Amino acid sequence: MITRQFGSEVRWMLRRPRTLIGLFGLVLVPIIISFGIWTASDEGEGGGGPPGLGAILQGNGMVVPIFTLFLSLNLLLPLVASIWAADGLAGEAQHGTLRGLLVAPVSRVRLLFVKLFGLTAMSLFAVTLMAVVGIISGTAFLGNDGMMTLSGTTLSTAEGLVRIGLFILLVTFQMVAIGAVALAVSSATEHPLVVQAATMTTIIVFQVLGQFTSLDWLHPFLITTGFPGLIDVMRDPIPWEQIGDSTLLAGCYLLIGTGLAAIRLVTKDS
Amino acid sequence: MTTSTSAPVTAPSKTAVAARTKGLRKEYGSTVAVDRVDLELPEGAVLGMLGPNGSGKTTTIRMLLGLVRPTQGEIELLGRPLPEGAEQALPHVGALVEGPGFHPFLSGRENLVRCAAFEPLLPRKEIKQAVEDAIERVGLAQAAHRRYRGYSLGMKQRLGLAAALLVPRKLVVLDEPTNGLDPAGTREIRKIIGDLHAAGSTVLVSSHLLSEVEATCTHVAVLHRGTVVAQGELTELLQAGGSALQVITPDVETALSALRQAKISARPLGDGLRVELAGTSAPQVIETLVQGGARVFEATRWKTGLEELFARLTEAEEAERGMSAVDTLDGGRR
Ligand SMILES: Nc1ncnc2c1ncn2[C@@H]1O[C@H](COP(=O)(O)OP(=O)(O)OP(=O)(O)O)[C@@H](O)[C@H]1O
Ligand SMILES: [Mg+2]
């Protein structure tokens, strides 16, 4: 029964026009990035000055997916997660379909898990899709001589793929954590836009707060503080400490978000 | 008329109940939506729920379905207490509450498939067939492939009904099912309710169409200002509403004095009199009239219609001032 509900949920999300448009937009990011690097490398050769970004990355197509996800995690991926979370509960309440699900019946806690599953599955799908397109377009534009790490070593293509896989999982987890908090907001309103606005405002405010050294004490609690540390997957060997901290922090957000959403949903009138 | 203080007219029920509420009360902030609702829905009955706008019909239905938590009171649905027993009871309940709710970007059929995926009683293999059957049953076959976004009001309502009928139900709850339907659609709803009744399902239907309720329901419950002011079997309620004799006579004055002497209450009406039959009988009235010297041209038994009963139970004095006010509990207390 639960697998059938999971399946129905994912199918429903995939059928939404805005999901398809969103996925299409996400796929453009790695393509634009590879293209940008490629044109930069052309100019670098012509000018004869210091080697540009493109020159450094020549033959390094494998960093494109990492670079893409790393950039997107700051704004684009939280936005997508917040849209899915918004449609999941607030959107269903707005259309009156939440009532239908509840009298079917789906217990409220289970409904939350169905929503969380949909969010996770779709996040993983979106992030993987971006990475795969990144690998392909990166290789096409820049070539592939293995992955150059930030520590200066070069990994084989197979090892590089493992690193990309790891990064996919880490980024997805951050996205799901943000989505879980967005679900908590989503359970408390009938207006999907409120959910998106609240989530994005929070992410941006967190990033601004992260710039103030006077607020040092606050930084360990901001989920956005954990984002930069994830790039450690590109070091050789991988220093796990920052990655661990970021993931732990995201885990806390996930638990708190899910908990709040469950409490709200169970007592909600609909 | 002070209906809120008078004792509710309640015909006692003998049979098993499909749903029952006790002392139900719901507050929304400072608004009291529903108060002291004791509703009994006998198994196999078709209960028509009547009441002016804002009298608490939808709120009561929502509480019955576990969508809304009552502030006070108990609910029993198909023998299980709510909210604990919701997961056991609700699979057997089909509902259309406060208008249909579907996703605009999916077709009618896809919407039903999504609903079906969440029906515990529907095995995966039977989903497709159940969806087609439901579409057929509500007469939506022509439009099932179109997006819900483009549906007309009546088509939306039909789709909502189809979702309620996906699985054979013990109880079907329909909140204003005829809303927006054409006459043929209204007739079909009547037929669907009849079929459900014949198949042994219990039906709870709220409606503003008194004639529909009179034609389809076995029981009625009338809500007024958040409280049940009358409930029971339709026929019993109508009888309890009192009966009278409509007498056509040209000798109104003679007739009135003759009846007054016999201590029978009557008043002039149209071409004659309306005589209350409380404590007397039709032959006795006519005998009195004839002996008193009044010529009786015609005498007909006057039966209370639902329309009249409803008006008497719910219409407040303010009805003369333009449109009648909405029927909230707070309004009554002001
Ligand atoms: N979510 C809510 N928040 C605040 N008040 C509410 C809410 N739902 C219902 N009410 C109030 O409760 C009262 C009863 O409303 P309800 O919808 O049950 O009436 P109804 O009998 O279904 O009316 P109608 O015939 O118009 O459908 C009204 O005064 C309404 O304003
Ligand atoms: Mg209503």
Side-chain angles (χ1 to χ4, degrees):
Chain A
M1 192 69 206
I2 190 115
T3 53
R4 169 168 133 192
Q5 293 168 348
F6 283 166
S8 167
E9 178 71 12
V10 172
R11 223 171 301 127
W12 169 72
M13 290 174 87
L14 276 173
R15 278 288 277 110
R16 289 193 93 95
R18 86 180 66 160
T19 306
L20 298 179
I21 294 169
L23 288 176
F24 182 72
L26 289 180
V27 161
L28 287 182
V29 178
I31 298 177
I32 291 169
I33 287 179
S34 336
F35 182 73
I37 295 174
W38 179 65
T39 47
S41 68
D42 274 349
E43 278 164 26
E45 276 165 11
L53 184 64
I56 298 170
L57 291 177
Q58 194 54 253
N60 254 312
M62 297 269 280
V63 300
V64 170
I66 304 254
F67 194 47
T68 303
L69 294 181
F70 188 68
L71 275 186
S72 308
L73 185 55
N74 285 308
L75 218 55
L76 217 47
L77 293 178
L79 177 66
V80 171
S82 76
I83 291 175
W84 286 336
D87 287 339
L89 291 174
E92 294 244 36
Q94 190 183 39
H95 285 129
T97 45
L98 193 61
R99 278 200 303 268
L101 296 179
L102 291 179
V103 295
V106 187
S107 84
R108 289 158 188 243
V109 174
R110 176 186 282 210
L111 182 66
L112 181 59
F113 279 107
V114 170
K115 293 297 172 188
L116 208 54
F117 175 85
L119 182 73
T120 310
M122 287 302 292
S123 300
L124 186 61
F125 177 65
V127 171
T128 309
L129 189 67
M130 283 176 91
V132 169
V133 173
I135 294 171
I136 295 170
S137 71
T139 306
F141 280 104
L142 304 172
N144 180 6
D145 311 327
M147 181 190 269
M148 194 173 68
T149 65
L150 293 174
S151 318
T153 57
T154 302
L155 302 173
S156 69
T157 303
E159 264 179 297
L161 286 177
V162 171
R163 297 294 177 95
I164 292 173
L166 176 63
F167 200 59
I168 289 174
L169 294 181
L170 292 173
V171 168
T172 303
F173 191 67
Q174 297 286 329
M175 202 174 158
V176 171
I178 295 168
V181 176
L183 269 179
V185 183
S186 193
S187 66
T189 173
E190 279 195 4
H191 305 287
L193 273 180
V194 169
V195 183
Q196 289 165 34
T199 312
M200 293 324 289
T201 311
T202 309
I203 292 290
I204 291 167
V205 167
F206 276 16
Q207 283 170 357
V208 171
L209 291 178
Q211 302 297 315
F212 293 107
T213 40
S214 55
L215 294 174
D216 270 350
W217 56 272
L218 189 62
H219 294 171
F221 301 106
L222 305 178
I223 190 167
T224 49
T225 316
F227 294 169
L230 295 178
I231 203 68
D232 280 357
V233 293
M234 284 279 283
R235 293 182 207 283
D236 194 28
I238 299 178
W240 289 102
E241 201 182 330
Q242 286 201 67
I243 293 177
D245 285 351
S246 307
T247 305
L248 196 65
L249 184 60
C252 292
Y253 274 73
L254 177 62
L255 280 184
I256 292 171
T258 312
L260 289 178
I263 291 169
R264 180 68 197 110
L265 209 54
V266 165
T267 54
K268 186 183 168 95
D269 284 347
S270 52
Chain B
M1 195 169 120
T2 53
T3 30
S4 43
T5 50
S6 67
V9 192
T10 305
S13 72
K14 314 111 203 160
T15 45
V17 292
R20 169 190 284 142
T21 71
K22 263 194 217 128
L24 218 49
R25 179 183 172 88
K26 177 67 188 177
E27 297 165 10
Y28 286 108
S30 58
T31 317
V32 183
V34 151
D35 191 19
R36 282 173 289 144
V37 167
D38 300 307
L39 202 64
E40 223 166 70
L41 177 48
E43 222 161 71
V46 179
L47 177 77
M49 206 184 215
L50 304 172
N53 292 137
S55 55
K57 301 181 296 296
T58 303
T59 307
T60 307
I61 286 177
R62 285 194 160 149
M63 288 193 280
L64 262 183
L65 295 171
L67 288 172
V68 164
R69 290 267 159 117
T71 313
Q72 240 175 58
E74 292 160 32
I75 305 167
E76 188 191 308
L77 184 64
L78 296 176
R80 318 235 174 211
L82 288 192
E84 304 83 34
E87 274 188 76
Q88 285 78 44
L90 284 177
H92 302 282
V93 180
L96 169 63
V97 191
E98 191 92 300
F102 293 101
H103 295 289
F105 61 94
L106 295 178
S107 72
R109 182 177 282 113
E110 286 167 325
N111 264 304
L112 282 185
V113 168
R114 178 162 161 79
C115 294
F118 289 88
E119 285 290 350
L121 293 182
L122 205 55
R124 190 190 286 259
K125 283 191 215 102
E126 291 170 24
I127 287 182
K128 207 161 169 239
Q129 193 56 45
V131 166
E132 292 311 318
D133 289 349
I135 288 173
E136 197 62 42
R137 193 158 178 195
V138 298
L140 214 54
Q142 310 296 321
H145 66 283
R146 280 168 49 189
R147 290 205 171 175
Y148 181 71
R149 189 192 306 282
Y151 274 21
S152 72
L153 187 56
M155 285 154 77
K156 290 178 178 173
Q157 195 76 11
R158 284 167 192 250
L159 192 62
L161 197 64
L165 301 178
L166 269 174
V167 187
R169 312 282 195 182
K170 288 187 187 161
L171 171 63
V172 178
V173 178
L174 306 171
D175 189 15
E176 297 188 33
T178 48
N179 198 0
L181 287 187
D182 54 18
T186 309
R187 249 191 333 270
E188 281 159 33
I189 294 270
R190 194 194 290 197
K191 182 170 178 305
I192 287 172
I193 292 177
D195 290 349
L196 287 169
H197 181 53
S201 302
T202 312
V203 182
L204 171 59
V205 51
S206 93
S207 180
H208 290 296
L209 297 182
L210 298 175
S211 54
E212 279 307 306
V213 170
E214 201 159 5
T216 52
C217 296
T218 60
H219 290 64
V220 282
V222 182
L223 268 81
H224 180 44
R225 292 188 178 149
T227 341
V228 179
V229 288
Q231 68 172 314
E233 275 185 47
L234 182 62
T235 47
E236 280 179 30
L237 274 178
L238 292 181
Q239 269 167 23
S243 53
L245 204 63
Q246 169 86 9
V247 182
I248 310 283
T249 168
D251 316 317
V252 176
E253 288 309 315
T254 329
L256 273 177
S257 63
L259 287 171
R260 205 169 296 132
Q261 271 173 13
K263 294 197 166 54
I264 298 171
S265 71
R267 61 188 163 89
L269 189 85
D271 306 336
L273 304 167
R274 183 186 148 117
V275 186
E276 299 302 330
L277 285 182
T280 178
S281 65
Q284 213 176 336
V285 170
I286 291 171
E287 202 182 321
T288 315
L289 287 171
V290 172
Q291 282 174 359
R295 291 167 292 169
V296 175
F297 283 16
E298 203 180 315
T300 27
R301 185 68 174 270
W302 182 298
K303 278 227 309 260
T304 331
L306 192 53
E307 187 107 30
E308 199 192 334
L309 180 72
F310 181 74
R312 199 147 44 77
L313 286 167
T314 61
E315 243 157 55
E317 318 70 46
E318 69 258 36
E320 282 91 42
R321 286 190 269 115
M323 206 169 159
S324 66
V326 291
D327 194 56
T328 60
L329 203 60
D330 299 326
R333 284 185 179 161
R334 202 170 33 212

